[in-house]
Amino acid sequence: MKAKIYSEARKLVKNFEKQVDKPAKIPKSLEVSVLNIVWRLVANKDFGYDDKKVIDFMDFLHDITADTGLLVLPDFFPILNYLPKFLRNYFLKEYLVDEFKKICIDFTKEAIGEHRANLDADNPLDVIDHYLIEMDEQKKNPNGPQFKSEMDLTRTIFDLFAAGFDTTSSTLRWLILYVASHPEVQRKLHEEIDSVVQSDEEISLNHKDSLPYLEATIYETHRYCSLVTGGIPHETSKDIQLGGHTI
């Protein structure tokens, strides 16, 4: 994973260099690069920074993120779950999630089909290979752990994708916004990195303990940014006291 992240970072820097000295939006390559790291783990494949299919997919994901803040309301007002489907579509835009599910299923099914056609049980390369091999093995042992179907694999891929791609690229966009808005922070970051990382080497996790200001900036971005519009509702398994509050 580290090698893949470093490789993708180098490609991303070269892509960003095309926009030096001119105002521009944060390029789509930022998001594609994050997707590539996740997708390499899942499907052992990369996408080009100008791949229209992937860019259209990401644009649709952004549209959903912007338009479906209302979808969490039924978690707080369960009575809304009893509304007819056409009303939930109209008021809560539930149809967007249905569309997104279909796109994700089609996206992952294509990858699974390619892996199934070229599967080498002795040389698994990624999550899909390992899952398919385990699924085939369990046909011989139905009492083992349940890797039941390719649809379950699709759901697993979606979880990895949804949790690992959009949140990471969104955090990076917020980080870029904050350091652009606070040039004094940007200067301190440059000074710290220059004092620790030699000119002939790349920054890596090996430098982490020597870059406390950089790490603090990343933590502050996590604390401050508005990452998920509605959040994800959670509940405790039993009532507890925390900081004088009953949870």
Side-chain angles (χ1 to χ4, degrees):
M1 283 295 291
K2 286 195 294 184
K4 177 58 188 168
I5 291 170
Y6 298 157
S7 171
E8 200 63 46
R10 286 191 292 270
K11 286 166 53 181
L12 187 62
V13 168
K14 289 181 180 178
N15 183 267
F16 270 35
E17 286 174 349
K18 297 176 182 178
Q19 300 189 146
V20 169
D21 294 329
K22 58 183 178 182
K25 292 182 178 181
I26 297 175
K28 298 285 187 183
S29 55
L30 177 69
E31 296 162 84
V32 178
S33 67
V34 175
L35 173 59
N36 277 343
I37 292 167
V38 177
W39 203 242
R40 171 65 67 175
L41 175 72
V42 170
N44 195 38
K45 184 179 179 181
D46 292 332
F47 296 103
Y49 287 161
D50 57 352
D51 189 311
K52 187 178 185 304
K53 180 180 177 181
V54 173
I55 291 172
D56 288 346
F57 176 79
M58 293 188 300
D59 287 343
F60 186 73
L61 178 60
H62 289 159
D63 290 342
I64 285 183
T65 304
D67 291 338
T68 56
L70 295 173
L71 279 171
V72 298
L73 286 178
D75 291 305
F76 300 101
F77 304 99
I79 194 172
L80 294 176
N81 288 309
Y82 296 97
L83 288 174
K85 178 71 173 176
F86 76 92
L87 288 178
R88 297 202 308 273
N89 283 339
Y90 183 78
F91 290 112
L92 305 178
K93 298 190 176 182
E94 217 173 72
Y95 66 91
L96 286 174
V97 175
D98 295 333
E99 288 181 31
F100 185 58
K101 285 179 181 177
K102 183 180 184 306
I103 289 174
C104 286
I105 288 172
D106 291 343
F107 194 82
T108 53
K109 271 189 173 180
E110 181 180 343
I112 292 170
E114 292 174 358
H115 279 66
R116 174 58 80 184
N118 300 291
L119 186 62
D120 181 354
D122 295 324
N123 296 288
L125 299 174
D126 47 46
V127 169
I128 296 178
D129 277 352
H130 279 284
Y131 193 106
L132 292 176
I133 292 168
E134 188 65 26
M135 196 170 72
D136 292 342
E137 283 295 317
Q138 287 186 10
K139 292 176 182 176
K140 308 171 189 174
N141 178 23
N143 296 321
Q146 296 302 301
F147 289 69
K148 293 182 179 178
S149 68
E150 291 186 5
M151 181 52 70
D152 281 351
L153 173 56
T154 297
R155 295 188 182 103
T156 300
I157 293 171
F158 174 76
D159 285 345
L160 288 168
F161 183 79
F165 155 62
D166 190 53
T167 50
T168 304
S169 58
S170 293
T171 301
L172 287 169
R173 288 198 302 274
W174 280 107
L175 177 62
I176 291 170
L177 170 66
Y178 290 144
V179 296
S181 302
H182 297 83
E184 72 284 0
V185 172
Q186 192 173 159
R187 279 195 299 273
K188 289 181 181 178
L189 287 170
H190 274 292
E191 290 169 1
E192 182 181 70
I193 292 170
D194 288 344
S195 69
V196 172
V197 183
Q198 301 300 315
S199 59
D200 59 346
E201 66 176 335
E202 292 182 323
I203 191 170
S204 72
L205 279 176
N206 296 329
H207 300 103
K208 182 173 181 288
D209 292 341
S210 302
L211 298 167
Y213 191 78
L214 172 59
E215 189 167 14
T217 304
I218 294 170
Y219 284 153
E220 181 68 356
T221 300
H222 280 296
R223 184 191 72 82
Y224 198 67
C225 73
S226 176
L227 190 57
V228 181
T229 308
I232 300 174
H234 293 75
E235 64 181 0
T236 57
S237 57
K238 61 182 180 180
D239 290 349
I240 61 168
Q241 294 293 316
L242 182 63
H245 300 280
T246 300
I247 309 298

